[in-house]
Amino acid sequence: MAVILNGLMLGTLLGLPLATLTGERYGWRAAFWAISALTVAAALCTAIGVRRTGRPEGSGTFRSELTAFRAPRLWLTLLTSTMVIGATFSAFSYLNPILTRVTGFSPGAVPLLLLAYGAATVIGNTVVGRLADRHTLPVLLGGLSLNAVFLAGFALLARFDVWAVLCMLGIGLVGVTMNPALVTRVQRTGNARPLVNTVHSSFITFGVVLTFGVVLGSALGGLGLDRFGLRAPLWLGAGLAVTGLLTLVPDLLRRTEKPGTVGPGGLSANSEHPVPAPLHAGQTT
């Protein structure tokens, strides 16, 4: 899973600074045209290079897959993913204006800083991928706690270039890189079938939408941005990270219970080891 997700991290490492550089030199429309062309190329490569597969063995009907969503714990697990991604993108979406208008870096320095941020995401994803299988909950607990600290620190110290860069790199290390642990937790709580994974992807996407929606609402209402300026998204992210920590509380309490009770994902109440389940070809995160 971590290997697959490293493709996303490499996209951040290379795509973000290149898109920023293209936008600065040729205008923002040029960056979008370049992204559109790469998207079409990727779609063609996928259509040509990925072989067609039949119905996965052991997959159930749509109705049977819906039964997984009867468990409240699964919905809480999905909410954790929304908070993790929302917290991270609250900062990620505004890195360019924060670094130039608040910290004081020149526009020419931003692509290099974003390259460093992308490198941090690759490193973080690799580390989390190695730990997520056996230490899913501790990884999420530590990642969300550190992300809240880095986001709040960035908001408080954004005017100091060294501290701002350190906090930005910290967000890269423990932000979106939690994806392997998020996917592992969702699949163990529910199952590894397509419907659960598709809904999980929707909750992750909602984390991005939630971030933009709250920030935009604050801007239009003259609330957060008027008071904190460009630091408002960082404070918002810190708040979402803390909320994500709260969604972990039931699982933390469950870990202290006596083992032996089997949960909805086929696990004992305090177990983090999965019941082996096949990962079907074409499965999404």
Side-chain angles (χ1 to χ4, degrees):
M1 182 62 67
V3 174
I4 296 173
L5 288 172
N6 254 336
L8 174 63
M9 306 309 155
L10 288 172
T12 303
L13 171 64
L14 301 175
L16 185 59
L18 286 175
T20 302
L21 188 62
T22 301
E24 289 177 354
R25 292 195 174 185
Y26 304 106
W28 64 269
R29 289 184 176 85
F32 276 89
W33 279 115
I35 293 170
S36 299
L38 288 173
T39 302
V40 172
L44 290 175
C45 290
T46 302
I48 296 172
V50 178
R51 64 186 181 87
R52 185 181 298 274
T53 59
R55 185 178 180 84
E57 184 178 336
S59 62
T61 63
F62 179 76
R63 180 174 295 180
S64 67
E65 290 194 35
L66 280 176
T67 58
F69 296 95
R70 294 177 181 174
R73 186 184 171 200
L74 177 58
W75 291 102
L76 194 63
T77 301
L78 294 170
L79 183 60
T80 303
S81 298
T82 298
M83 295 300 107
V84 170
I85 301 304
T88 303
F89 271 83
S90 65
F92 178 82
S93 305
Y94 290 88
L95 284 179
N96 194 328
I98 291 172
L99 291 171
T100 54
R101 300 180 193 177
V102 180
T103 310
F105 284 105
S106 66
V110 172
L112 295 178
L113 293 171
L114 296 180
L115 186 67
Y117 176 90
T121 66
V122 173
I123 295 171
N125 183 73
T126 302
V127 173
V128 171
R130 291 182 177 275
L131 298 175
D133 185 55
R134 293 185 177 274
H135 308 286
T136 309
L137 194 58
V139 165
L140 289 173
L141 181 63
L144 276 166
S145 299
L146 288 173
N147 207 15
V149 170
F150 287 132
L151 285 161
F154 200 173
L156 291 170
L157 305 171
R159 292 192 180 278
F160 303 95
D161 51 5
V162 174
W163 287 107
V165 171
L166 288 176
C167 290
M168 179 194 72
L169 294 178
I171 295 167
L173 283 170
V174 299
V176 72
T177 57
M178 291 296 107
N179 256 315
L182 295 174
V183 173
T184 299
R185 183 166 176 250
V186 166
Q187 290 185 350
R188 290 177 182 174
T189 304
N191 56 57
R193 292 176 178 175
L195 184 60
V196 168
N197 285 286
T198 300
V199 172
H200 184 214
S201 297
S202 299
F203 269 73
I204 288 176
T205 304
F206 182 68
V208 181
V209 175
L210 175 66
T211 300
F212 281 108
V214 174
V215 173
L216 181 60
S218 296
L220 295 177
L223 300 176
L225 291 180
D226 278 351
R227 183 174 180 182
F228 298 108
L230 282 169
R231 301 172 194 239
L234 301 174
W235 286 117
L236 170 65
L240 291 175
V242 171
T243 304
L245 285 171
L246 294 177
T247 66
L248 298 179
V249 170
D251 275 5
L252 291 172
L253 295 176
R254 189 177 289 107
R255 283 167 61 92
T256 65
E257 296 177 1
K258 185 177 180 180
T261 302
V262 177
L267 304 175
S268 63
N270 63 348
S271 173
E272 288 194 349
H273 297 280
V275 174
L279 292 179
H280 307 308
Q283 180 174 302
T284 62
T285 59

